[in-house]
Amino acid sequence: MLNVIGLSVAGRPLAFDSCELTASAEEAVRSGSFDVVWVDDGLPCGEDDECLVTIDGAPWLTGYVRDINWSADPDSRIVTVSVVSRTVDATEGAIDHPTGSIEDCDLRDIAASFDTGGVGVDVEIDTEKKPLHQIVPGETLFATLEREARAAGALIHDTPQGRLKIVAGPEGRHAGILAEGVNITRASGTLSGQFNYSEVKVRGQSSFGTNGAALRPEAQAKGTAQRKRTLIIYHEGELTSARAKKRAQWEAKRAAGRAKAASITVPGLSDAAGTLWTPNWLVPVDVPRGALRQDMVIAQVSFAQQGDGSGTEATLTLKDPRALGGENPRGDSAKGWEAPGEDDPSFRED
């Protein structure tokens, strides 16, 4: 299936010679870069103009023009336009709240109260209520949400409509399989022990109470290293037993996934059923020469296309699903691809 990418700025379509698009399950802002065809004097658009990127007519990025780079000589002119999701304001603009704090709140309450820029936040997880949430002066919406998301073992990424989305674990499954010798153009991988830890400990404090659980709480989760290598993290904000254990397990998984990823390039932009490759979706992978045979989760997707639709390809960055909060893929991959499973983290109060 031939997928066609389109770009419109301020409601006007712009032709382009080539483009690159990138979205990640681990980042809050998707982006794109277009080599625009422009023969008139002046520039095709202005920075901060509203824009829309579509694939086969459906929204893929809703946002703004970020940069306009141009160069010219007597024989040619090049105009490159980069675009970003609306969620860029949640990562760069400060929260403008009258008090900077709210009481008796969960993650949905925090998102609703501190989204003062009107970006929009879809919270698809339930979290326990906390007595108080206080922002840091000058803090962005993403920063204050990300602290809570880490404690809940959740990801924050953007949507095609330019909203933030908070989820725990993979959100879908692609049709078909990525198989060496069948539909993979290029494949590579990295397995590093840099972020392997034997255990991850989370420490912090609570503002309420004077016992050990309030003053010296510590949760511990098992990692992937066989030798003694401990990662100690100090948790920002209130630390309860449930939050400490969830954070410890999440950090153990994330650490294991930081330096273990496969990169696979395939022709076209969609799977066997015509669904666009999507971050935080699962896909079966069979690459014997990389010792990789299991379900993987798409951590990042990059699309590239010429303006006439030729030369279209997708590059997928893949990780063990557990590295993004998913389940054990139970495949036949080499042990180095593993992330920690769902063990029962311990909690110490003294």
Side-chain angles (χ1 to χ4, degrees), residues 130-144:
K130 53 190 293 192
L132 175 73
H133 185 83
Q134 175 77 52
I135 67 169
V136 178
E139 188 173 43
T140 66
L141 175 63
F142 174 77
T144 206

Side-chain angles (χ1 to χ4, degrees), residues 22-279:
T22 301
S24 172
E26 302 176 280
E27 297 180 3
V29 184
R30 65 184 62 193
S31 61
S33 178
F34 295 81
D35 290 333
V36 172
V37 177
W38 191 251
V39 297
D40 297 333
D41 289 340
L43 297 172
C45 56
E47 74 277 13
D48 287 337
D49 281 354
E50 293 186 352
C51 71
L52 178 67
V53 177
T54 60
I55 300 182
D56 298 332
W60 187 87
L61 180 154
T62 304
Y64 309 104
V65 172
R66 171 42 61 98
D67 302 309
I68 306 165
N69 295 298
W70 64 273
S71 63
D73 59 35
D75 301 317
S76 65
R77 178 171 62 167
I78 299 173
V79 180
T80 301
V81 175
S82 68
V83 299
V84 290
S85 171
R86 290 178 64 251
T87 52
V88 72
D89 290 344
T91 67
E92 297 178 352
I95 296 169
D96 185 13
H97 190 271
T99 65
S101 65
I102 57 173
E103 298 178 350
D104 189 30
C105 53
D106 61 12
L107 188 50
R108 289 189 179 89
D109 299 324
I110 294 168
S113 297
F114 295 115
D115 182 17
T116 57
V119 171
V121 186
D122 300 322
V123 182
E124 300 196 355
I125 62 171
D126 296 320
T127 60
E128 63 176 322
K129 291 217 178 240
K130 53 190 293 192
L132 175 73
H133 185 83
Q134 175 77 52
I135 67 169
V136 178
E139 188 173 43
T140 66
L141 175 63
F142 174 77
T144 206
L145 292 177
E146 201 268 340
R147 289 204 314 270
E148 297 302 307
R150 273 185 279 132
L155 299 168
I156 305 180
H157 60 77
D158 70 335
T159 70
Q161 293 72 33
R163 296 171 60 88
L164 289 175
K165 187 176 185 181
I166 304 178
V167 297
E171 300 167 75
R173 173 177 287 276
H174 279 291
I177 184 172
L178 297 175
E180 193 171 34
V182 178
N183 59 351
I184 294 178
T185 305
R186 296 183 300 278
S188 61
T190 298
L191 294 174
S192 172
Q194 180 179 358
F195 302 107
N196 284 351
Y197 298 99
S198 53
E199 61 269 331
V200 175
K201 296 182 178 182
V202 173
R203 296 171 179 171
Q205 204 169 62
S206 173
S207 301
F208 302 89
T210 58
N211 60 10
L215 299 178
R216 297 177 300 278
E218 177 185 282
Q220 176 175 316
K222 184 180 179 181
T224 53
Q226 299 303 307
R227 65 185 186 276
K228 177 69 173 178
R229 276 170 56 89
T230 304
L231 174 65
I232 298 178
I233 296 172
Y234 284 88
H235 179 77
E236 316 91 334
E238 298 294 316
L239 189 64
T240 64
S241 170
R243 289 165 67 87
K245 290 194 289 185
K246 190 72 174 180
R247 175 79 187 273
Q249 190 169 70
W250 177 244
E251 294 290 354
K253 291 183 177 185
R254 299 287 284 134
R258 284 183 67 183
K260 298 180 181 182
S263 176
I264 289 181
T265 300
V266 295
L269 310 182
S270 51
D271 66 15
T275 301
L276 290 176
W277 296 112
T278 304

Side-chain angles (χ1 to χ4, degrees), residues 242-324:
R243 289 165 67 87
K245 290 194 289 185
K246 190 72 174 180
R247 175 79 187 273
Q249 190 169 70
W250 177 244
E251 294 290 354
K253 291 183 177 185
R254 299 287 284 134
R258 284 183 67 183
K260 298 180 181 182
S263 176
I264 289 181
T265 300
V266 295
L269 310 182
S270 51
D271 66 15
T275 301
L276 290 176
W277 296 112
T278 304
N280 209 31
W281 278 41
L282 297 167
V283 60
V285 179
D286 187 4
V287 184
R289 287 189 293 177
L292 180 57
R293 185 176 286 121
Q294 65 176 60
D295 275 354
M296 297 287 277
V297 67
I298 300 175
Q300 177 177 292
V301 59
S302 297
F303 295 146
Q305 185 178 74
Q306 301 300 313
D308 60 3
S310 65
T312 302
E313 64 180 20
T315 299
L316 312 177
T317 301
L318 306 171
K319 295 185 178 183
D320 185 299
R322 289 168 291 189
L324 297 189

Side-chain angles (χ1 to χ4, degrees), residues 6-23:
L7 169 66
S8 63
V9 177
R12 181 167 53 92
L14 293 181
F16 56 91
D17 281 328
S18 61
C19 72
E20 294 184 1
L21 308 177
T22 301

